[in-house]
């Protein structure tokens, strides 16, 4: 279920966009953006805070605190409603297009009276934007690609939002009398990066109490269908949830049936048929006698088919059945495998929490080691200096080992320039324990130039991890165009790990890229890129993505003991 913090974050971000659309003070818009991020990343529930408590959150001043209190009390904010009323809904729709900012949306409306995505598409196709300043051919191509991204996303839900909803509903239904088991299934259990709808299963002797309970939940906005075998609702956030209640003895078969992709299930049913069996959500049955031969657990069902249990994240018919039959199914990486986080930020740059808070929170997660990697000076808005980063290093050294023996690594997130250069000279970079390098600008370079840029960065002897490699933002920004096979090969050759960035709007690399990169023998780092204490928990999304890419602990450098990790980070340099 959405936290009040998340709702207020969305509201303040919308207000910042509305200010920008109407040509308001850019500084004011930026202030609301910063406050939105700070509230979204604040660990405590803000609904329990008064105005004074809210003002203790970084970037939340008196005026913003008053608006937050107004929203928490009434569900609306008067000035936001006024701004909304002054802007056509179509213009607000336009700014949801990836790559199209508020100012361009307003210009389209004022100059050409364009107020919908369909009108904008038609105008570009009719070459009606050719005389409009700032809308050259490349910009129009980017806008069309952004529209395509938005349409592909359609009504699909980001993984983290779907999980929040599903886990809340599972908790509610698990408390209903008679519940033996309850879990979510489908593409959500397979940890796909976006989800069409949410499947929830309950094992119980009677279905009616659970169907009624789902329909009556506060999160339920609409009951789409209500029956003894299946109930479907739409939540207040527009997410469809389908509930099925199974007999307890059918739990394993039902979970297997409603988890696997369609292609995976076809493969398992085909194996069943060859053995004279029939597989359904109720069990595995002998065709001739109708006798049930397996149903209570997934392990039992798979074993009767001659297969080991297959992790849900692998059930996509991408070779997992054949690997299982050969006894070559990978022991995929798990959250328990991860010994530390190698890409995190503090409030020294764009993080929300001080160094001490981030370190303490990492220690609570049981990590053996933890890296702090604030931004370097070439990302100018972060105002990093040599003096600041060296002072942080001293502070880090005093904390090293002070939290449950957790070792601290001092690192930085370097900015990869257009030519593949990075911040700071070699002698300064040599003082860091770990360097993550990432793209933060110039995303529109041609394929050859972008490939050359990434290759040069990976060949730098001080660059250990290529952070969020493609720069994609799911449903908002496509990845950069590069010869990724060449980049993957160079990473393998130079000992540069590819990051699986666990931020749920990134999940970069994606599972398909991981599968390709693994063939070259590359190593990976599953990192959170945490900008707040709460972000450290995003690790689960990165691990799920790594599993979908068939990675084992040996493939992931931050599952390794510290000594082995430090050896890798030297990239062949003398100790």
């Amino acid at each position: 279920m959405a936290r009040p913090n998340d709702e207020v974050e969305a509201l303040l971000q919308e207000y910042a966009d509305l200010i920008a659309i109407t040509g308001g003070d850019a500084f004011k818009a930026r202030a609301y953006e910063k406050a939105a991020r700070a509230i979204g990343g604040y660990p405590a529930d803000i609904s329990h805070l008064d105005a004074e408590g809210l003002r203790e959150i970084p970037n939340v001043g008196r005026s913003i605190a008053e608006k937050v209190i107004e929203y928490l009390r009434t569900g609306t904010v008067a000035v936001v409603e006024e701004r909304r009323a002054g802007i056509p809904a179509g213009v607000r729709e336009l700014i949801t297009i990836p790559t199209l900012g508020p100012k361009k949306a307003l210009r389209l409306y004022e100059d050409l009276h364009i107020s919908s995505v369909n009108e904008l598409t038609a105008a570009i196709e009719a070459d009606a934007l050719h005389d409009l300043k700032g809308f050259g051919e490349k910009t129009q191509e980017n806008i069309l690609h952004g529209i395509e991204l938005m349409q592909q996303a359609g009504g699909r839900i980001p993984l983290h939002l779907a999980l929040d909803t599903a886990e809340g509903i599972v908790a509610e239904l698990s408390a209903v009398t008679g519940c033996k088991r309850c879990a979510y299934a489908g593409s959500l259990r397979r940890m796909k990066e976006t989800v069409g709808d949410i499947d929830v299963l309950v094992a119980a002797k009677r279905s009616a109490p659970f169907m009624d309970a789902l329909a009556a939940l506060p999160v339920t906005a609409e009951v789409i269908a209500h029956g003894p075998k299946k109930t479907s609702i739409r939540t207040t956030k527009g997410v469809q949830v389908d509930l099925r209640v199974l007999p307890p003895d059918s739990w394993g078969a039902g979970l297997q049936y409603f988890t696997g992709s369609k292609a995976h299930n076809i493969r398992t049913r085909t194996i069943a048929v060859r053995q004279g069996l029939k597989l359904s959500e109720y069990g595995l049955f002998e065709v001739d006698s109708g006798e049930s031969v397996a149903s209570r657990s997934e392990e039992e069902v798979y074993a009767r088919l001659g297969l080991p249990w297959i992790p849900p994240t692998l059930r996509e018919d991408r070779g997992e059945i054949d690997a299982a039959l050969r006894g070559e199914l990978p022991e995929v990486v798990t959250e328990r495998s991860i010994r530390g986080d190698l890409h995190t930020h503090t409030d020294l740059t764009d993080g929300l929490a001080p160094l001490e808070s981030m370190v303490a929170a990492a220690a609570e997660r049981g990590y053996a080691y933890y890296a702090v990697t604030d931004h370097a000076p070439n990302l100018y808005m972060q105002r990093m200096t040599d003096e600041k980063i060296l002072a942080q290093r001293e502070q880090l050294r005093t904390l090293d080992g002070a939290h449950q023996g957790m070792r601290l690594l001092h690192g930085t997130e370097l900015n990869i320039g257009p030519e593949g250069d990075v911040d700071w000279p070699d002698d300064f970079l040599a003082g860091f324990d770990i360097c993550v390098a990432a793209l933060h600008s110039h995303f529109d370079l041609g394929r050859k130039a972008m490939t050359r840029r990434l290759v040069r960065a990976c060949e730098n002897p001080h660059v250990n991890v290529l952070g969020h490699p493609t720069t994609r933002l799911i449903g908002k920004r496509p990845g950069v165009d590069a010869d990724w096979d060449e980049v993957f090969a160079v990473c393998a050759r130079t000992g540069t790990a590819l990051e699986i960035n666990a931020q749920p709007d990134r999940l970069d690399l994606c599972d398909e890229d991981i599968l390709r990169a693994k063939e070259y023998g590359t190593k990976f780092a599953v990192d959170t890129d945490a900008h707040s204490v709460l972000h450290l928990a995003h690790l689960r999304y990165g691990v799920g993505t790594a599993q979908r890419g068939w990675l084992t602990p040996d493939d992931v450098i931050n599952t390794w003991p510290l000594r082995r990790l430090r050896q890798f980070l030297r990239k062949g340099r003398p100790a």
Side-chain angles (χ1 to χ4, degrees), residues 363-376:
E364 288 177 7
R365 295 182 65 84
Y367 288 149
Y369 47 80
Y370 177 73
V372 176
T373 55
D374 274 312
H375 289 287

Side-chain angles (χ1 to χ4, degrees), residues 21 26 42 44 50 65 70 137 291 302 312 332 379 444 452 455 502 537:
I21 290 173
Y42 190 67
D50 58 14
E70 181 183 355
E137 184 177 343
E291 180 184 352
Y302 277 112
V332 290
L379 207 60
D444 58 351
R452 186 167 59 247
V455 165

Side-chain angles (χ1 to χ4, degrees), residues 510-533:
C510 71
D511 55 352
E512 293 179 354
D513 286 337
I514 295 168
L515 285 164
R516 281 172 59 196
K518 182 177 166 68
E519 293 179 2
Y520 289 90
T522 57
K523 298 300 181 183
F524 302 82
V526 181
D527 300 324
T528 64
D529 193 2
H531 284 65
S532 76
V533 167

Side-chain angles (χ1 to χ4, degrees), residues 267-330:
R267 291 292 303 275
T268 55
R269 288 200 298 271
T270 301
I271 292 172
V273 168
R274 288 173 181 163
Q275 297 180 17
L277 304 170
K278 178 183 177 182
L279 180 61
S280 75
E281 65 265 45
Y282 295 107
L284 190 59
F285 302 91
E286 289 187 351
V287 172
D288 294 337
S289 67
E291 180 184 352
S292 174
V293 295
S295 65
R296 295 186 66 85
S297 71
E298 284 191 315
E299 289 83 355
E300 181 180 283
V301 171
Y302 277 112
R304 184 62 180 80
L305 293 173
L307 300 167
W309 180 79
I310 298 175
T313 43
L314 300 187
R315 301 181 198 176
E316 297 287 355
D317 191 29
R318 294 197 286 208
E320 72 278 6
I321 298 289
D322 292 336
L325 289 169
R326 295 193 305 267
E328 298 175 359
L329 208 59

